[in-house]
Every structure is written in C-alpha cells, then in structure tokens.
Amino acid sequence: MPVQWTISKPHQLVIAVARDELRLADVEEYLDGVTVADALPYRKIFDTTAARMMLSDADMMVLGARIRAYQKMSKLGPLAIVAVTERAYQQARLFEVLAEGDRPVKIFRELHLAREWLDGFDSGS
C-alpha cells in the first residue's frame, strides 16, 4: 500500500506517509479513507519523502478538483506537505495552486518543520 495513514480523533490529526510509486488511485484511496472517517476538518501531514511521484499534471488537476469539491461539503483542516525531491516539491506546489481554498497549505522539505507548523494550529481549526 503506497499510502499509509493514521487518524487521531483525540488530536484531530491525520498523518499520511507515501512510499514507493505514488499514483492517483493511491491518493484517492487515502482521500476516501479520510472522508469516511469524518476527518476532513483535521490537521494533516502528507509525507512524500519515501515516494516516487508518478502523478501527471492531469492527475494533479483531478486531485485539485476533488479537493475543491470537498471544500463545498466541509471545512478542511490545515495541510503540511513534506516534499524532499524537486519533482515532489513541484507537484506539491501545483497541488497547492489547483486545490486553492480557504485553508492553510504549506510545503516543507523536513518533517519536523511540517509538524512544528501544524502544531501551531488548534485541534479542529
């Protein structure tokens, strides 16, 4: 499974770690899991450090549209993306633009900085 995630309801926090080849279906499966768990408003970290990004620009457009649709259904919590390779960073930037909405999104090169930033938000904000 290329994306593994844990959802902490008490901390209202989702931590997702992508490994191996990350494809559109993998991200969609993760999003389905977060949605079913009613965790869209939670703070989230999506760590791509150990992943090879296999997402096309068209895939990124699909994800952006999906996130914009979620924003019509529910408030979305802040998102910290960890992207250490240049390709992952560029795709994270594209996602940030395509999924533009009313929630903080920030891209980091280091996990601990992402967590520090995310911890600055109250649970459920």
Side-chain angles (χ1 to χ4, degrees):
M1 176 188 265
V3 180
Q4 294 181 328
W5 64 91
T6 58
I7 300 173
S8 171
K9 290 195 180 274
H11 294 103
Q12 296 190 347
L13 176 66
V14 178
I15 298 176
V17 178
R19 299 191 188 291
D20 302 321
E21 293 183 348
L22 183 64
R23 299 184 185 280
L24 177 61
D26 305 317
V27 179
E28 289 178 326
E29 183 179 341
Y30 156 75
L31 291 171
D32 289 345
V34 170
T35 303
V36 168
D38 292 324
L40 287 174
Y42 291 8
R43 299 168 299 141
K44 296 170 197 69
I45 291 179
F46 197 92
D47 183 1
T48 67
T49 302
R52 286 186 308 283
M53 306 303 283
M54 307 301 287
L55 299 161
S56 68
D57 287 352
D59 293 339
M60 298 306 291
M61 290 177 68
V62 167
L63 292 174
R66 187 168 179 168
I67 297 302
R68 289 191 309 276
Y70 286 153
Q71 291 171 355
K72 294 176 182 174
M73 298 178 352
S74 173
K75 179 180 179 186
L76 302 183
L79 171 64
I81 302 170
V82 182
V84 297
T85 67
E86 192 56 33
R87 176 159 172 78
Y89 188 87
Q90 292 304 321
Q91 286 198 312
R93 290 281 302 138
L94 180 58
F95 174 82
E96 183 180 31
V97 169
L98 294 172
E100 181 181 21
D102 185 26
R103 73 149 166 189
V105 176
K106 193 165 180 181
I107 305 163
F108 296 88
R109 298 280 188 173
E110 297 180 33
L111 179 59
H112 73 93
L113 295 174
R115 182 61 191 256
E116 186 177 282
W117 176 77
L118 207 56
D119 284 346
F121 293 91
D122 291 331
S123 295
S125 63

